[in-house]
Amino acid sequence: MALQITFVLIAIALAFAVSASAGFGGSLVLVPALALLLGTKPGTALAALLLAANNVMKVWAYRRTIPVKRALVVVVLVAVGAALGALLFVAAPEKVVAIAVIGSFVLAFVVERLDLTRAKVLGTHLFAFASGALSGFSGTSGPLKGLAIRNLPLDRLHMVGALSLASLVGDVTKTVIWTGANLIPPGGYLLTAAAVPLMVGATLLGRRFNTRIGERGYTYLFWTVMTGYTARLIAGL
């Protein structure tokens, strides 16, 4: 039991730090860790609750660099997609979803390299909705949310702010639906309250790291998280 608690706390702290640094990516660590210990549904639901609470801290930390107007359409589409995905939690075959996301990631990478502006505008809205839907029925949005926000004309701090807001809305939407479906495991809200100090510390550490790495460093960090998402999907095939 002690080892399990230690494992969970380490996973929570690492997830929160990655999320605060890059603006997203916490689910990459937290969802598989909690699903391994608690099972797919309760682990995924608890991860959504923890990440939703952590995103409150992130939104507060980046409150001065949240581009609400520019990111509003993306955030709304993420919320709508997350609601639909959460209601269809286990409807889609996991392998089909993973293949589709990997294909989307490759396509989006090519679009960015070639600077196809029209395709990027269309992709922003498409990726935003798809990321919410994917997050709703798999617990993680994969690379799509990052791609949707990256297509907006934002510097790194405003990009992290936009990602934090989109993550908050998506995770809160999932948490509300999964709480109503009794998927949050017993003690989940108590664990979330106990993890608040970790949220504060990891968020401040992640924000400090983000402000020091510069635009090029953030680009490397962004694509490292994106590659991690894709590697996880490939490993699950």
Side-chain angles (χ1 to χ4, degrees):
M1 179 63 73
L3 287 176
Q4 288 183 339
I5 293 175
T6 301
F7 175 75
V8 168
L9 291 177
I10 291 174
I12 289 173
L14 181 59
F16 290 170
V18 169
S19 183
S21 299
F24 71 125
S27 61
L28 175 66
V29 177
L30 204 52
V31 170
L34 295 182
L36 179 64
L37 289 178
L38 303 175
T40 301
K41 282 191 176 183
T44 300
L46 179 57
L49 172 60
L50 286 163
L51 291 169
N54 183 57
N55 281 320
V56 173
M57 289 299 305
K58 282 167 51 186
V59 166
W60 178 83
Y62 289 97
R63 63 192 181 280
R64 292 191 178 90
T65 55
I66 295 179
V68 177
K69 291 183 179 180
R70 288 188 179 181
L72 183 60
V73 174
V74 169
V75 171
V76 170
L77 289 172
V78 167
V80 173
L84 177 62
L87 291 171
L88 300 176
F89 197 15
V90 292
E94 189 171 339
K95 287 188 177 182
V96 173
V97 174
I99 292 171
V101 173
I102 292 168
S104 298
F105 171 70
V106 173
L107 177 62
F109 184 80
V110 171
V111 167
E112 173 156 321
R113 295 297 93 189
L114 296 178
D115 194 25
L116 302 178
T117 304
R118 292 184 179 180
K120 291 172 82 171
V121 171
L122 175 62
T124 297
H125 298 156
L126 200 59
F127 290 149
F129 177 78
S131 73
L134 179 60
S135 178
F137 61 70
S138 71
T140 175
S141 61
L144 300 181
K145 180 169 58 185
L147 292 171
I149 298 295
R150 190 170 177 79
N151 285 344
L152 300 175
L154 301 170
D155 59 45
R156 77 177 186 282
L157 288 178
H158 285 85
M159 184 173 173
V160 175
L163 281 165
S164 299
L165 181 60
S167 297
L168 172 62
V169 171
D171 286 329
V172 167
T173 300
K174 292 186 297 183
T175 299
V176 169
I177 292 174
W178 289 341
T179 297
N182 296 317
L183 291 179
I184 304 293
Y189 281 93
L190 183 60
L191 174 62
T192 301
V196 168
L198 287 176
M199 297 176 195
V200 175
T203 298
L204 293 177
L205 179 64
R207 189 180 190 284
R208 184 175 182 181
F209 179 72
N210 180 279
T211 58
R212 294 193 171 204
I213 59 177
E215 296 294 340
R216 178 177 294 181
Y218 179 76
T219 298
Y220 289 142
L221 175 63
F222 177 90
W223 286 110
T224 296
V225 175
M226 297 283 278
T227 302
Y229 269 129
T230 305
R232 179 191 162 198
L233 291 168
I234 293 174
L237 292 177

